[in-house]
Amino acid sequence: MLPSCPPATMPPALLLLTLMSGALCGLGQAMSREERHRLRNQVVEMFDHAYQNYMDHAYPADELMPLTCRGRVRGLEPSRGDVDDALGKFSLTLIDTLDTLMLLNKTTEFEAAVRRVLSDVRLDNDIVVSVFETNIRVLGGLLGGHSMAVMLKEGGQHMQWYQDELLHMAKDLGLRLLPAFNTSSGLPYPRVNLKYGVRGPETRTGTETDTCTACAGTIILEFAALSRFTGDPVFEAHARRALDFLWEKRQRNSNLVGTTINIHSGEWVRRDSGVGAGIDSYYEYLLKAYILLGDDLFLQRFNIHYASIMKYISQPPLLLDVHIHKPLLPARTWMDSLLAFFPGLQVLKGDIRPAIETHEMLYQVTKKHNFLPEAFTTDFRVHWAQHPLRPEFAESTYFLYKATGDPYYLEAGRTILDNLNRFARVPCGFAAMKDVRTGSHEDRMDSFFLAEMFKYLFLLFADAEDIPFDVEDYVFTTEAHLLPLSLSAAPHSPLVSSNRTSEEELDDSNFDWTCPNTRLLFPDPAYPRNLRDPIRSAVDKSCPRPAPYREPGMGRPPLRAQDFMANNPEHLELLRRMGVSLIHLKDGRVQLVQHATQAVSAVAAEDGVRFMQEMMELSSQQQKEQLPPRAIQIVSHPFLGRVVLTAGPAQFGTDLSKSSTGVRGFVTVAEPYSGCTEITNAEYVQGHIALLQRGQCMFAEKARHIQKAGAIGGIVIDDNEGSSSDTAPLFQMAGDGRNTEDVTLPVLFLFHKEGNILLEALKEYREVEVLLSDKARDRGVNVQEAEEDCLTEATTPTSFEPTSQSQTSMVELDESVSQEVAPSQETSHVEEVSPPEVEAAPAEVEVDVPPPEEERDSDRREESEGDTDSSGQSVDELLADWREDLEAFQQMEKDEL
């Protein structure tokens, strides 16, 4: 297989691709040369759209905010938590894009970009940055740019003025990162201050104890290249020491590593192991370090790890995390999108069959949801709905096409292109998807989108003569920066050799000293298709309905928790008889408290305990379930479908998930704005979608009034100023305890910030047309039908141990909700959350469950009817506010975004 071919005789990457390229031609219907060229040109046009908008609207800021057409400057925008650690006020996107410009034959633009970096970028800012992100994006970008500049200069026609300035900047940055490695273990601190290094709390560094495996193990390519380019061995020595320590700390029985490690003690903090977030590029860099540096020890370590991955983690086509000490025990039932790089790594390894299988699974999930959700379950449902335009799936698609020559992967690349243009393209670039189910956007375009996505897509469709150099003379870093394989022969100090212990001598059993011949592996041209078809069928047949709620306990109480309505007098009387009282809290929640001694009988007290237990379980179930949000898409000029607002559904009225077209119409403000009495401007509401304010009466009552006035739909806007789907979970508007079958129009809910975007658009443009649907349709005036999708994650109620009959038990109910809708903001953790423990006596549990519908809290600020001008902000400013991101997958972003 690939790595067994010594780099001294032939570059491994070159040999692999030479043997494999074209081996499986003719497996599918070949794409014409003209069509490939059309797609290649489309890739270039898309890159130009993204890059030019960054330069026009964001530079010298680190990243572009494509919805508000401005730059993201750290400290001037609301903090997004750990994800902002990638930003260092060093024009991140420009540096990350340097070698992409060269690969796409943009020599003039490349030279201009290099001059801008040299004249404008400072690396000594008093700012704390991620060591991992700064290494792969900035140091890697400078080294990739330097490699391209040297190549151009040696060509004799361009960059004759270049005197290794980018390399000098790279060394300066490397020296600024080195203080992070000053630990007893050699593992780097996760963050460093570019100006002051690691000094402790005064520099906001040096207090961390943990780092992710990938964060510490994804240094060797850039640091070794820096050492080989400059002749200074210190960088490679530190990177090797970190890798040696991780290897020593592997679990010796399973030969797996955990996700998070204590940088001082070497103890594993998180002991789940997989190939996705937190570990992924550690494995990638072991194999690529062998390819770049020619050290067989890296290959041996990779092969030992790989054997364990295939034994424990790989369950084709799935890749599921396990516990390092009990590798037969699954650690989770979902996968994150970062593992999409793994089929590409398997191609470099030479293990093509599992690469085909996993890639096909990822492709079918992509076709089902338009993009890979940030995380998805084993039955291919959305677990986390975000998609920040990650390139890993495109990367694996390119490597599989290069290895097999199968035109099937060209079609996969076409799907990626089409979906980016249909769903992510906006006037100022490409916007990350806030929710793949609704098509709503997030105001971010990460630098890796330009650094990686367009490289792999261009290489997928380009001919050899389209590329200004031979890519097989280079190795791709995890950020797709290009490092020359000639570095393996560059002079280097023997001091940087790995610390081999007596037990780690090279063992021939860990190597296969032949390279694969795919003509022998796949003699049947239909073989790859036979691998893919069962996987396609498995994904297509997934998405069963969520499991029905099963009532806990042996008996059936007189009142079921799922039927409880806090405004129903009959229900309140039943609660009283069971010893359960209801307390209204000032924040709109309702608290249930049970006193068993106040029940009318022992049987009623037992029913009360069972009811409280059922309520707690129902609450836990609702917190775990992810009901799909809805989309409000502004389709009129000048928005043309580019702005999508995340909305909550209602339990009554038209079910938009069963409508292929949605409901489209112009919006108008109802009078009275509360919608709690008969509509007085019915002549304007008729045939329109009515805008209403939350409060003063029940949602169903508002719906009946606008329906009577002739409205075709309704949008209820929260009256709690400052509320946003970024900071609060969406919910499903409940009925009023009566039969709501008479409500036949769709009604959606917007939080205050999203609602203000719509109100300000109406104020500025007077006529605003929107589409109410289950998810955004194709961008543009002509809204097309979209395929029905499996949107919600299959969930089952959390099981609780029965509680003893305590004297007091308490449950808190959230405001005006029946079921929480899957939040579209990034608030999830990588780690699974254990169910809350229920104490025996007295038991107090806080939960979010169905509440009272009426909103007459005197502490809530009431606005005058019809007053919609709650802010003087422009639409652009409101969009900017709307863009506020939360902690964004705290563990996942901390490990690796």
Side-chain angles (χ1 to χ4, degrees):
M1 54 186 62
L2 151 71
S4 58
C5 305
T9 57
M10 190 174 189
L14 176 61
L15 182 54
L16 169 77
L17 298 178
T18 301
L19 286 172
M20 290 187 170
S21 184
L24 301 180
C25 290
L27 301 187
Q29 185 173 358
M31 181 180 288
S32 69
R33 180 184 177 90
E34 292 74 17
E35 180 64 7
R36 279 195 299 107
H37 287 181
R38 185 189 70 79
L39 295 172
R40 174 203 63 194
N41 295 340
Q42 186 176 13
V43 171
V44 175
E45 184 278 328
M46 292 166 65
F47 170 83
D48 289 341
H49 178 67
Y51 178 71
Q52 201 55 52
N53 273 289
Y54 166 74
M55 296 304 296
D56 290 346
H57 300 292
Y59 181 81
D62 282 317
E63 290 181 341
L64 169 68
M65 297 165 65
L67 296 183
T68 49
C69 295
R70 68 175 192 263
R72 184 183 297 281
V73 179
R74 192 169 171 186
L76 299 184
E77 302 295 332
S79 173
R80 300 177 299 169
D82 294 337
V83 68
D84 279 341
D85 289 342
L87 312 181
K89 298 183 179 178
F90 35 37
S91 300
L92 173 63
T93 297
L94 182 63
I95 292 176
D96 221 0
T97 307
L98 288 176
D99 49 8
T100 307
L101 288 166
M102 194 61 236
L103 181 71
L104 269 59
N105 283 293
K106 296 183 176 293
T107 306
T108 302
E109 292 88 340
F110 171 75
E111 187 166 355
V114 172
R115 290 186 183 275
R116 282 182 181 269
V117 170
L118 299 181
S119 64
D120 298 348
V121 174
R122 294 177 59 95
L123 298 174
D124 61 349
N125 301 309
D126 180 9
I127 193 167
V128 175
V129 296
S130 161
V131 172
F132 167 76
E133 297 289 358
T134 305
N135 174 67
I136 65 171
R137 299 201 205 189
V138 186
L139 182 57
L142 292 171
L143 292 173
H146 170 68
S147 300
M148 298 294 99
V150 169
M151 179 197 66
L152 278 180
K153 183 177 181 179
E154 290 175 350
Q157 295 183 355
H158 303 278
M159 304 285 289
Q160 296 305 299
W161 54 269
Y162 183 70
Q163 298 294 326
D164 295 346
E165 289 89 346
L166 290 178
L167 181 58
H168 299 325
M169 289 184 69
K171 184 173 182 179
D172 178 30
L173 180 59
L175 291 171
R176 295 179 185 279
L177 295 179
L178 277 185
F181 292 81
N182 187 22
T183 62
S184 58
S185 65
L187 299 180
Y189 284 101
R191 297 173 185 84
V192 68
N193 186 294
L194 288 176
K195 188 171 185 176
Y196 298 110
V198 177
R199 288 188 178 179
E202 67 274 13
T203 62
R204 305 183 302 282
T205 55
T207 59
E208 306 97 336
T209 58
D210 306 335
T211 192
C212 72
T213 302
C215 300
T218 310
I219 307 289
I220 185 65
L221 292 188
E222 292 82 4
F223 269 40
L226 183 57
S227 284
R228 303 294 175 100
F229 273 131
T230 63
D232 187 344
V234 65
F235 306 104
E236 185 173 343
H238 278 86
R240 283 179 179 263
R241 184 184 176 207
L243 279 179
D244 291 341
F245 189 83
L246 289 174
W247 173 253
E248 287 298 313
K249 292 300 178 179
R250 76 193 186 280
Q251 211 290 323
R252 298 303 179 97
N253 292 322
S254 66
N255 280 315
L256 295 173
V257 292
T259 301
T260 308
I261 192 170
N262 185 295
I263 60 176
H264 304 297
S265 67
E267 294 295 319
W268 291 110
V269 179
R270 283 184 50 200
R271 301 182 180 186
D272 48 314
S273 184
V275 296
I279 302 180
D280 50 0
S281 48
Y282 163 68
Y283 294 132
E284 178 186 3
Y285 269 37
L286 282 178
L287 179 55
K288 290 183 176 179
Y290 163 73
I291 295 173
L292 181 66
L293 306 176
D295 188 336
D296 290 342
L297 193 64
F298 290 128
L299 175 59
Q300 174 164 276
R301 291 177 180 178
F302 173 81
N303 281 342
I304 291 172
H305 280 316
Y306 186 78
S308 293
I309 290 170
M310 299 310 291
K311 181 177 180 180
Y312 300 118
I313 296 171
S314 177
Q315 302 177 35
L318 308 179
L319 292 163
L320 294 177
D321 284 17
V322 299
H323 295 278
I324 58 175
H325 293 91
K326 297 180 179 179
L328 298 178
L329 182 64
R332 61 171 65 151
T333 58
W334 48 270
M335 297 165 278
D336 64 74
S337 62
L338 284 167
L339 61 76
F341 89 101
F342 198 67
L345 189 65
Q346 290 178 306
V347 169
L348 287 180
K349 163 71 176 172
D351 199 0
I352 306 299
R353 173 174 178 155
I356 290 174
E357 292 173 329
T358 298
H359 179 276
E360 181 62 19
M361 178 270 292
L362 296 169
Y363 185 27
Q364 295 306 317
V365 173
T366 296
K367 291 203 290 188
K368 183 173 289 294
H369 301 294
N370 298 323
F371 299 97
L372 270 183
E374 197 70 323
F376 53 94
T377 63
T378 53
D379 58 354
F380 317 115
R381 299 174 184 277
V382 172
H383 186 69
W384 295 332
Q386 299 80 3
H387 174 77
L389 306 183
R390 293 200 184 278
E392 286 78 12
F393 178 65
E395 174 186 358
S396 288
T397 301
Y398 162 68
F399 278 110
L400 269 168
Y401 177 68
K402 191 69 174 177
T404 65
D406 190 343
Y408 181 83
Y409 297 109
L410 296 176
E411 294 300 329
R414 188 207 300 268
T415 299
I416 298 171
L417 278 185
D418 289 347
N419 288 344
L420 284 172
N421 275 320
R422 290 174 60 197
F423 302 110
R425 186 167 182 145
V426 294
C428 282
F430 291 84
M433 306 306 297
K434 188 174 185 177
D435 193 313
V436 298
R437 298 164 300 183
T438 65
S440 55
H441 287 133
E442 190 176 355
D443 202 1
R444 73 188 270 194
M445 187 179 80
D446 291 82
S447 67
F448 55 69
F449 181 62
L450 287 163
E452 301 182 66
M453 181 71 80
F454 295 110
K455 277 196 187 85
Y456 292 124
L457 291 177
F458 181 79
L459 289 171
L460 179 64
F461 297 114
D463 293 326
E465 56 268 24
D466 298 326
I467 306 169
F469 53 89
D470 190 347
V471 293
E472 293 174 6
D473 290 337
Y474 295 82
V475 65
F476 287 104
T477 69
T478 195
E479 191 78 3
H481 292 306
L482 294 154
L483 300 177
L485 291 175
S486 58
L487 289 174
S488 63
H492 61 282
S493 169
L495 297 177
V496 301
S497 60
S498 292
N499 302 321
R500 301 189 185 192
T501 63
S502 57
E503 64 182 72
E504 200 188 355
E505 296 302 320
L506 293 178
D507 183 346
D508 274 0
S509 65
N510 293 319
F511 301 86
D512 290 318
W513 296 107
T514 58
C515 290
N517 184 326
T518 52
R519 295 184 184 278
L520 297 178
L521 285 173
F522 306 120
D524 180 3
Y527 183 69
R529 186 172 64 250
N530 294 336
L531 291 177
R532 291 191 291 255
D533 286 348
I535 297 169
R536 183 183 301 114
S537 299
V539 177
D540 288 343
K541 292 177 181 177
S542 68
C543 302
R545 295 286 180 183
Y549 177 76
R550 294 185 179 276
E551 185 177 56
M554 298 297 294
R556 180 183 295 269
L559 176 64
R560 299 185 62 186
Q562 67 186 42
D563 298 328
F564 171 65
M565 299 291 291
N567 62 305
N568 188 316
E570 189 176 320
H571 289 182
L572 296 179
E573 174 60 21
L574 289 172
L575 291 186
R576 187 193 66 78
R577 295 179 62 81
M578 294 188 293
V580 179
S581 57
L582 183 144
I583 302 171
H584 290 270
L585 304 178
K586 288 185 177 181
D587 61 3
R589 290 181 301 163
V590 172
Q591 188 177 76
L592 292 179
V593 180
Q594 194 218 11
H595 300 276
T597 57
Q598 296 180 9
V600 296
S601 67
V603 173
E606 185 177 344
D607 286 342
V609 171
R610 192 177 295 116
F611 173 83
M612 296 294 284
Q613 174 67 25
E614 188 180 61
M615 185 66 79
M616 288 185 286
E617 186 160 342
L618 177 63
S619 169
S620 176
Q621 176 187 356
Q622 290 171 353
Q623 290 176 9
K624 288 173 175 287
E625 283 184 346
Q626 292 208 354
L627 299 175
R630 302 292 184 248
I632 298 177
Q633 187 173 10
I634 307 179
V635 297
S636 54
H637 182 80
F639 303 96
L640 302 179
R642 303 290 185 183
V643 174
V644 182
L645 306 176
T646 302
Q651 288 184 337
F652 50 84
T654 302
D655 185 353
L656 292 171
S657 67
K658 298 179 180 178
S659 171
S660 60
T661 59
V663 173
R664 180 171 176 164
F666 289 91
V667 297
T668 190
V669 177
E671 295 179 5
Y673 189 28
S674 68
C676 292
T677 59
E678 186 171 341
I679 303 301
T680 60
N681 63 337
E683 68 275 16
Y684 297 107
V685 170
Q686 185 173 11
H688 288 67
I689 295 173
L691 301 182
L692 304 155
Q693 186 181 49
R694 181 184 184 185
Q696 303 182 39
C697 64
M698 288 172 277
F699 295 119
E701 187 176 347
K702 300 175 190 285
R704 290 188 179 97
H705 284 138
I706 61 171
Q707 180 172 288
K708 182 179 178 181
I712 61 173
I715 298 173
V716 179
I717 298 174
D718 195 7
D719 63 338
N720 183 16
E721 188 169 357
S723 67
S724 168
S725 65
D726 285 336
T727 56
L730 286 171
F731 60 78
Q732 194 173 35
M733 295 182 289
D736 55 4
R738 297 187 294 161
N739 190 322
T740 55
E741 291 182 359
D742 59 313
V743 180
T744 58
L745 79 175
V747 182
L748 298 181
F749 176 85
L750 286 178
F751 281 111
H752 186 266
K753 283 192 174 181
E754 287 84 351
N756 251 12
I757 292 174
L758 194 56
L759 291 171
E760 286 298 320
L762 183 63
K763 179 179 174 183
E764 188 167 343
Y765 299 105
R766 297 189 180 278
E767 290 192 349
V768 174
E769 189 178 16
V770 301
L771 173 70
L772 312 183
S773 61
D774 62 330
K775 61 180 180 178
R777 304 304 199 252
D778 285 352
R779 306 309 197 246
V781 178
N782 295 321
V783 181
Q784 302 175 2
E785 293 186 4
E787 295 180 355
E788 291 188 2
D789 204 352
C790 297
L791 300 177
T792 59
E793 177 187 347
T795 58
T796 55
T798 303
S799 59
F800 284 78
E801 294 297 323
T803 57
S804 61
Q805 293 188 26
S806 58
Q807 293 299 308
T808 303
S809 51
M810 181 173 69
V811 178
E812 287 187 3
L813 309 178
D814 198 8
E815 57 170 334
S816 301
V817 303
S818 174
Q819 278 188 303
E820 282 190 1
V821 176
S824 60
Q825 75 276 14
E826 298 173 274
T827 58
S828 299
H829 289 236
V830 167
E831 294 182 287
E832 290 189 290
V833 181
S834 302
E837 296 180 359
V838 180
E839 299 177 358
E844 294 191 1
V845 184
E846 291 189 5
V847 292
D848 295 326
V849 281
E853 276 294 306
E854 293 188 89
E855 302 166 334
R856 297 195 176 98
D857 194 326
S858 59
D859 290 339
R860 296 186 63 175
R861 174 178 165 277
E862 292 188 7
E863 300 181 11
S864 59
E865 293 182 357
D867 180 13
T868 64
D869 188 13
S870 62
S871 170
Q873 293 176 291
S874 67
V875 174
D876 284 346
E877 290 171 329
L878 287 164
L879 283 169
D881 290 339
W882 175 50
R883 174 207 32 75
E884 292 177 0
D885 300 307
L886 259 190
E887 295 170 353
F889 298 100
Q890 293 176 350
Q891 186 64 50
M892 186 171 182
E893 297 286 18
K894 186 182 298 181
D895 290 348
E896 178 171 2
L897 181 61

